[in-house]
């Protein structure tokens, strides 16, 4: 049972930039209602695609430097990283199908 990884400035390089598999990163905040709406979907994706894609979460209130580094203006923002680079992204909540389409070409 795969779990989402809490990403911080301290572990971002190891967990995302040096990851052998693509990483779906969710920029979110506790007060964000759309973020809460997609949270169960991301948990399901982490389980269903265990070993094929890693799902990470960055709390923008706690990790302002990371949010700034990626110019996060609206949340939720989902980014797909492969080989340490952003290869796809979406701003706003979406269905499970829409979220899976973000990374389907990279796994």
């Amino acid at each position: 049972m795969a779990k989402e990884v809490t990403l911080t400035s301290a572990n971002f390089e190891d967990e995302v930039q040096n990851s052998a598999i693509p990483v779906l990163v969710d920029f979110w905040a506790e007060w964000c209602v759309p973020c809460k709406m997609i949270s169960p979907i991301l948990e399901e994706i982490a389980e269903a695609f265990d070993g094929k894609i890693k799902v990470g979460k960055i709390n923008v209130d706690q990790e302002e430097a990371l949010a700034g580094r990626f110019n996060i203006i609206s949340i939720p923002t989902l980014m797909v990283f492969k080989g340490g680079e952003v290869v796809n992204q979406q701003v706003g909540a979406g269905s499970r199908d829409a979220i899976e389409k973000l990374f389907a070409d990279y796994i």
Side-chain angles (χ1 to χ4, degrees):
M1 180 168 150
K3 294 191 65 84
E4 298 161 315
V5 178
T6 299
L7 299 171
T8 65
S9 295
N11 71 0
F12 188 82
E13 186 173 342
D14 285 340
E15 293 288 351
V16 178
Q17 293 182 307
N18 297 333
S19 178
I21 59 174
V23 185
L24 175 63
V25 177
D26 173 26
F27 290 86
W28 70 285
E30 210 46 65
W31 47 264
C32 168
V33 174
C35 299
K36 290 180 181 182
M37 288 170 47
I38 65 168
S39 187
I41 296 170
L42 296 174
E43 289 174 21
E44 290 171 7
I45 288 172
E47 247 185 75
F49 293 91
D50 187 20
K52 294 181 181 176
I53 192 163
K54 184 186 301 184
V55 178
K57 296 179 74 78
I58 297 174
N59 183 320
V60 297
D61 290 333
Q62 295 173 355
E63 295 294 331
E64 292 177 12
L66 276 176
R69 177 175 166 185
F70 294 101
N71 300 314
I72 303 302
I73 296 169
S74 297
I75 55 173
T77 293
L78 300 173
M79 290 185 170
V80 179
F81 289 78
K82 183 168 185 177
E85 300 293 323
V86 177
V87 294
N88 208 350
Q89 67 181 25
Q90 167 184 308
V91 177
S95 67
R96 179 169 173 168
D97 284 347
I99 294 170
E100 286 182 13
K101 284 179 183 167
L102 288 173
F103 62 82
D105 291 341
Y106 306 102
I107 59 171

